[in-house]
Amino acid sequence: MSSAENRPRAGASWLRPVVAVLGLLYLVLGIAGFLTPETAAVGHETSRAVWIFSVTPLLNLVHTAVGVLGLLAATRRAGAIIYCWVVFVGFTGMTAYGILATAIVNPEDPINLNWADNWLHGLTAAAALALGIAGARAVNRRAARAR
């Protein structure tokens, strides 16, 4: 038995900590949003914010769920790759909605997105796409070498 056979297959071992950090950041943002005093109000109101990011109960719930799922997905390599693809699809949709919602200010907007949220969600979607592709390629390269 060679030393290569004794080593665990760890392709894309860097992906899990990156997903954990991403999940932790969104969890902190979601919880901080719930701790904001005026979170229960609905509608487009720029004064309800954590730092520069807007807060509403629905948006806080989404951020908290993304954070918790990121921490759970970071426990397995396959889970981290799937999480990246799900975050890419979901946040691409949220970015598209946010651009429309901020361009056409609607006072009944339940999510209350602003341009900072659009940038956050857009950059997160792009990062998740890059991480998902790089993680899947690393796993596939490692599996091809093992054959």
Side-chain angles (χ1 to χ4, degrees):
M1 208 180 239
S2 71
S3 64
E5 293 174 36
N6 291 334
R7 282 184 286 167
R9 295 186 180 181
S13 60
W14 51 267
L15 182 61
R16 290 174 50 208
V18 172
V19 166
V21 168
L22 183 64
L24 187 61
L25 290 174
Y26 270 98
L27 182 62
V28 167
L29 183 60
I31 291 172
F34 281 120
L35 298 177
T36 302
E38 299 152 351
T39 301
V42 177
H44 191 76
E45 176 60 45
T46 56
S47 67
R48 291 189 316 259
V50 170
W51 191 42
I52 58 172
F53 304 111
S54 63
V55 295
T56 62
L58 183 58
L59 192 56
N60 295 338
L61 187 63
V62 168
H63 287 166
T64 303
V66 167
V68 168
L69 290 175
L71 293 176
L72 291 173
T75 61
R76 294 185 173 235
R77 183 180 59 233
I81 292 171
I82 292 169
Y83 174 80
C84 288
W85 290 109
V86 169
V87 166
F88 165 67
V89 170
F91 277 2
T92 299
M94 282 185 70
T95 303
Y97 173 80
I99 290 170
L100 290 174
T102 51
I104 307 167
V105 177
N106 183 1
E108 288 85 32
D109 180 19
I111 303 179
N112 188 33
L113 293 173
N114 61 21
W115 285 108
D117 291 311
N118 294 339
W119 279 103
L120 173 70
H121 298 149
L123 291 174
T124 302
L129 175 64
L131 290 171
I133 290 171
R137 283 187 177 172
V139 169
N140 288 340
R141 243 185 269 123
R142 183 130 174 113
R145 271 190 251 135
R147 289 186 218 158

